[in-house]
Amino acid sequence: METALGVERSLSGRRWLWRPHEGRVAAGLSQRLGLPELIGRLMAARGIGLDAAEAFLNPTLRALLPDPSVLLDMDAAAGRIADAVARRERVAVYADYDVDGACSGAIMLHALRAWGVEATHYVPDRLAEGYGPNGPAIARLVAEGANLIICVDCGIAAHEALAVADGQADVVVLDHHKSDGAPPRVVAAVNPNRFDCASGLRQLCAAGVAFLATVAIQRELRRRGFFAARPEPDLRLLLDLVALATVCDVVPLVGVNRALVVQGLRVLGRRERAGMAALLDLAAARDAPSAHTLGFVLGPRINAGGRIAAPDLGLRLLTEADPIAARAMAERLDSVNRERQEVEAGVLASAMRQAEAQREAGHAVLLLHGEGWHPGVVGIVAGRVRERFNRPACVAGVADGMAKGSGRSVPGFDLGAAVIAARQAGLLVAGGGHAMAAGFTIEAARLPALHALLDEALAPARDLPDMAPMVLDGALTVRGATLELAQAVANLGPFGAGHDEPVLALTRARVVKASRVGREGTTIRSFLQGEDGGRLKAVCFRAGDGPLAAALDFPGAALNLCGYLRTEHWQDQVGVGFHILDAARC
């Protein structure tokens, strides 16, 4: 990549690079679609050609939703669950405790109840039971009369636990996690990441798999004449749940995932799900929902229940129809989320000190651990460490001689495969994941051996720069940062994993006024002026007190800034603003 604007080291220590693009494709997109030249460049840089442009700009499920039957075992799963619906069997949904698990569980419960089945649910306690199905929990569901157990966002590696149901209840698994061996012996194990599944849908989260399952089940029920005397439920009303999980599970927002999120945001905008509406009201989120709403407003609060408090609180909120009860649950989750933030801050401070020392020692992977660190926040802390040091990072809490941890990786380094290799080598009690995230349980005394294995497996990460380069998509002047352009950029969203929000350079801008805002004063709001006379509002979050903050705090010389150009809504007014990520002196 070519250096952008000559910036080899910005005020935050990053090198700026231009994202490559095909100029002829960019020009063709702009001309054929009547789009600004910059928008054509953004699309071309993301691999969107003329043939795919219309589907990208208007992603519909009619065009992009695959036939569920392409997933291995889906027809068997649909048939068995359709049998349970027709026979009014007792069904239990076993869900994971994170956002994807809560959404997957809610999708299945809503669909089953719409088909006339009063299903129950079970969500394991993160601390007491750990991830996935366990034998005692399965035995309990069987004892309570479950004829069918549907595992969502878990189960693909739970051979021993699911064997407890043999001869007493059937099991269907709807999962997306990687597995290094044969699936469990169950009626159906639907997972696009099974080594023998040729669906090509490996980028689906569990909620996406669960939604496709409801489509397949309803199709099977229709074939059997089940809806001859009753209306078919509108499965599109479940898409807000799919969108929430898709964004929060950080799967690529391309192809069918893009369509699921776009259509799901439209459902969310109607605020017909009592639990989500209650959370939005608590957060004072009044604008049209976006991927940011899903990832930073709803997701952390729903996740908080599984991390710190009642493991099934998020799932119950997403299936609660009564607005008063939903409000009470939402308030509890909001309170728990604030507690989670406090716990996280303490662990993060200690983890950052360890990470600094390990980075200096030349480790490829940062493996950080501490006695009493809450396992409910280690994944979030791992993500923050990864962001700060540009290295794969694993963080574990130690208690009673055992360490439970979570890891986050950087592009190009498959952490899930490395953790699975550690399990196969006999180092872990349990472990698995995917390329960008993984979880593990290990005897604390064996942590050094795990660190050595991860260092060797991901050795090239040693050569990564201490901070990831800033990849820029284009440049504009302050006067060129118009509301019309910001709206055109927004139309390329939703943005997220695999489809990054465009980072734009704002050239030769001067800060003419700045102020610190927020509870801790770490946010800088400023007014910018360009050499062309344009003016623009800007904000920099988590600015801190380093060179970047110093340059933004006071009026001074011209700067090249980079960040996001966004529309801003305030009291029924729409404006334009710039979210500063970095700066360099001209």
Side-chain angles (χ1 to χ4, degrees):
M1 291 185 185
E2 180 186 352
T3 301
L5 302 177
V7 179
E8 294 290 345
R9 184 175 179 82
S10 69
L11 292 176
S12 68
R14 296 173 182 263
R15 186 184 181 201
W16 290 7
L17 302 172
W18 290 123
R19 188 187 302 273
H21 71 285
E22 177 55 59
R24 287 178 298 177
V25 174
L29 287 166
S30 299
Q31 293 168 7
R32 179 179 294 187
L33 301 174
L35 297 170
E37 181 182 343
L38 176 62
I39 301 302
R41 172 174 176 155
L42 297 179
M43 293 175 66
R46 284 155 177 76
I48 302 159
L50 290 169
D51 294 339
E54 178 57 36
F56 175 83
L57 293 172
N58 183 32
T60 64
L61 292 179
R62 181 180 296 276
L64 295 171
L65 193 71
D67 181 344
S69 294
V70 301
L71 284 159
L72 186 65
D73 271 7
M74 180 61 87
D75 290 341
R80 179 61 186 90
I81 297 173
D83 289 342
V85 172
R87 296 195 291 251
R88 295 293 188 270
E89 294 183 51
R90 187 173 179 82
V91 179
V93 175
Y94 194 113
D96 188 25
Y97 39 64
D98 68 359
V99 175
D100 195 14
C103 291
S104 304
I107 287 167
M108 290 309 305
L109 290 171
H110 278 297
L112 288 166
R113 291 166 184 173
W115 297 324
V117 176
E118 266 305 314
T120 60
H121 72 267
Y122 188 90
V123 180
D125 183 281
R126 178 190 293 264
L127 295 180
E129 299 172 89
Y131 167 77
N134 62 81
I138 296 298
R140 172 182 166 183
L141 294 176
V142 170
E144 291 174 350
N147 305 112
L148 173 64
I149 299 171
I150 305 173
C151 296
V152 292
D153 197 28
C154 61
I156 196 62
H159 298 73
E160 293 183 12
L162 296 182
V164 172
D166 284 355
Q168 301 177 82
D170 287 335
V171 176
V172 168
V173 170
L174 304 175
D175 202 353
H176 76 128
H177 291 94
K178 282 186 177 180
S179 176
D180 55 324
R185 298 182 61 182
V186 294
V187 169
V190 183
N191 184 338
N193 282 298
R194 277 180 57 168
F195 71 92
D196 51 350
C197 181
S199 67
L201 299 175
R202 297 184 183 277
Q203 296 176 334
L204 286 175
C205 67
V209 176
F211 179 74
L212 285 178
T214 66
V215 173
I217 298 161
Q218 186 146 299
R219 181 176 63 187
E220 176 62 16
L221 290 170
R222 185 187 309 120
R223 187 189 68 78
R224 298 183 185 189
F226 183 78
F227 298 111
R230 61 187 298 160
E232 287 193 28
D234 186 352
L235 298 179
R236 292 174 299 179
L237 299 180
L238 301 173
L239 289 173
D240 56 343
L241 296 166
V242 184
L244 175 59
T246 299
V247 169
C248 292
D249 221 50
V250 202
V251 292
L253 295 189
V254 296
V256 65
N257 281 346
R258 176 174 168 79
L260 290 168
V261 173
V262 167
Q263 302 304 326
L265 286 171
R266 292 175 181 171
V267 175
L268 178 60
R270 292 152 59 176
R271 296 201 178 205
E272 294 179 355
R273 193 171 307 284
M276 287 194 185
L279 282 179
L280 291 171
D281 289 343
L282 276 175
R286 300 182 181 88
D287 295 338
S290 64
H292 182 273
T293 310
L294 300 173
F296 295 92
V297 177
L298 296 174
R301 289 170 169 84
I302 291 172
N303 237 343
R307 292 185 183 281
I308 301 291
D312 71 340
L313 188 54
L315 173 53
R316 287 192 287 120
L317 175 74
L318 295 176
T319 55
E320 180 56 62
D322 178 47
I324 296 176
R327 175 74 184 197
M329 291 183 194
E331 288 175 347
R332 174 89 190 283
L333 281 172
D334 192 57
S335 174
V336 170
N337 188 52
R338 289 194 297 272
E339 179 186 347
R340 187 269 305 169
Q341 290 171 331
E342 293 173 1
V343 172
E344 175 192 329
V347 174
L348 179 63
S350 298
M352 285 294 189
R353 288 192 292 270
Q354 286 188 29
E356 188 74 52
Q358 291 188 13
R359 191 271 307 269
E360 292 297 324
H363 286 282
V365 177
L366 306 177
L367 177 56
L368 322 166
H369 57 90
E371 192 75 33
W373 287 4
H374 198 296
V377 303
V378 293
I380 301 173
V381 172
R384 296 284 296 276
V385 172
R386 178 269 316 270
E387 178 183 335
R388 167 64 182 82
F389 293 98
N390 193 36
R391 297 281 190 283
C394 296
V395 180
V398 178
D400 300 324
M402 299 297 295
K404 292 185 178 182
S406 186
R408 299 292 183 268
S409 195
V410 295
F413 295 87
D414 192 336
L415 182 60
V419 168
I420 289 172
R423 190 184 75 224
Q424 292 172 333
L427 277 178
L428 305 181
V429 174
H434 49 80
M436 297 300 288
F440 57 90
T441 302
I442 186 172
E443 295 176 9
R446 309 191 78 178
L447 282 168
L450 174 62
H451 202 175
L453 184 149
L454 295 176
D455 269 343
E456 181 178 354
L458 304 178
R462 287 190 178 91
D463 300 325
L464 290 170
D466 289 342
M467 297 195 73
M470 186 70 73
V471 179
L472 277 61
D473 291 273
L476 63 158
T477 64
V478 174
R479 184 181 291 277
T482 63
L483 175 60
E484 292 72 22
L485 183 61
Q487 290 172 327
V489 171
N491 289 339
L492 301 181
F495 302 112
H499 181 48
D500 297 336
E501 183 172 3
V503 177
L504 302 175
L506 204 60
T507 59
R508 301 195 66 81
R510 296 178 186 273
V511 177
V512 295
K513 183 180 178 182
S515 60
R516 292 267 182 167
V517 298
R519 185 170 56 187
E520 298 177 357
T522 58
T523 296
I524 299 175
R525 291 196 180 277
S526 57
F527 287 89
L528 307 175
Q529 182 173 307
E531 292 185 337
D532 54 5
R535 294 176 67 89
L536 184 65
K537 293 188 298 182
V539 63
C540 182
F541 295 104
R542 293 197 298 188
D545 298 306
L548 173 61
L552 298 177
D553 262 330
F554 304 103
L559 298 169
N560 287 325
L561 304 172
C562 72
Y564 305 131
L565 184 69
R566 292 176 174 171
T567 57
E568 296 184 342
H569 300 259
W570 177 254
Q571 295 182 343
D572 298 325
Q573 299 293 315
V574 182
V576 59
F578 196 75
H579 290 234
I580 299 170
L581 298 176
D582 201 358
R585 300 195 184 279
C586 297

